[in-house]
Amino acid sequence: MMSANYTRTAIALHWLMAALVLGTFALGLWMADLPNSPLKLRSYNWHKWAGASFLALALLRLAWRWRHPPPPAMPMPRWQAHLAGGVHHAMYALFFAVPLVGWAYSSSLGYPLVWFGVLPLPDFVPVDRALAKLIKPWHESAAWGLAGLVVLHVAGAVKHQWIDHDGLLRRMAPWLQ
């Protein structure tokens, strides 16, 4: 019999990715307006390291999900199930698109990604300032899109917890007994 809750690994990956996406988004907003300085350069590196870490976690989460299917869906109106599924699929797509486009942007500017200052990752687009100018708004738009989907995701969880009282949130937050 399949459990009604997610596995501990799925829960850990969910909350770790939630913290990383919020932190990376907040750092991106904050660093964009910094004056040119060593702090701004360090902030960009932290942002890129967080993005690369997020991409690695997204790959791990997708692999985990592939091998460990989620628990059965909770009963809900069909439109809610379709909306939840659409939000989840779009978030997964952006889990990959946001960091990959950011990596392409950094590569096109000629700033290599050296993960935590130790592991150089390959540039996958050539240095090209015109290309960088095209890519930058894609990264920003995708990040804002992911932020919007996170808000929808949280709103759905809050609705189920405090309006429907159906126990849905307990599946991913077992400490909310």
Side-chain angles (χ1 to χ4, degrees):
M1 177 168 180
M2 188 177 236
S3 170
N5 293 332
Y6 286 87
T7 64
R8 284 187 290 221
T9 302
I11 292 168
L13 287 169
H14 174 273
W15 291 107
L16 185 55
M17 288 183 69
L20 252 178
V21 77
L22 292 174
T24 306
F25 185 78
L27 178 59
L29 288 176
W30 175 75
M31 71 184 196
D33 293 328
L34 288 175
N36 286 337
S37 66
L39 176 60
K40 185 169 188 163
L41 291 175
R42 277 195 310 274
S43 300
Y44 270 81
N45 280 327
W46 296 337
H47 183 76
K48 292 189 315 184
W49 298 343
S53 298
F54 188 83
L55 181 60
L57 276 173
L59 286 167
L60 179 61
R61 185 173 179 182
L62 188 62
W64 182 263
R65 177 86 183 253
W66 186 34
R67 302 274 303 162
H68 302 85
M74 304 240 345
M76 66 182 73
R78 187 181 314 194
W79 70 269
Q80 285 182 22
H82 285 302
L83 180 61
V87 167
H88 279 104
H89 283 96
M91 283 196 317
Y92 266 92
L94 290 174
F95 287 167
F96 294 95
V98 173
L100 286 171
V101 172
W103 187 355
Y105 174 59
S106 185
S107 295
S108 65
L109 285 173
Y111 298 118
L113 175 51
V114 182
W115 202 13
F116 296 107
V118 177
L119 179 63
L121 300 177
D123 292 330
F124 63 91
V125 299
V127 175
D128 181 338
R129 297 284 173 160
L131 179 60
K133 197 172 183 176
L134 284 172
I135 293 174
K136 183 179 182 182
W138 296 351
H139 181 60
E140 292 170 352
S141 296
W144 278 106
L146 181 55
L149 290 170
V150 166
V151 168
L152 280 174
H153 180 69
V154 170
V158 166
K159 175 202 174 285
H160 282 278
Q161 180 68 19
W162 287 295
I163 295 173
D164 298 343
H165 303 285
D166 62 8
L168 182 130
L169 191 56
R170 249 189 326 269
R171 294 160 36 116
M172 192 53 81
W175 57 88
L176 290 176
Q177 299 299 325

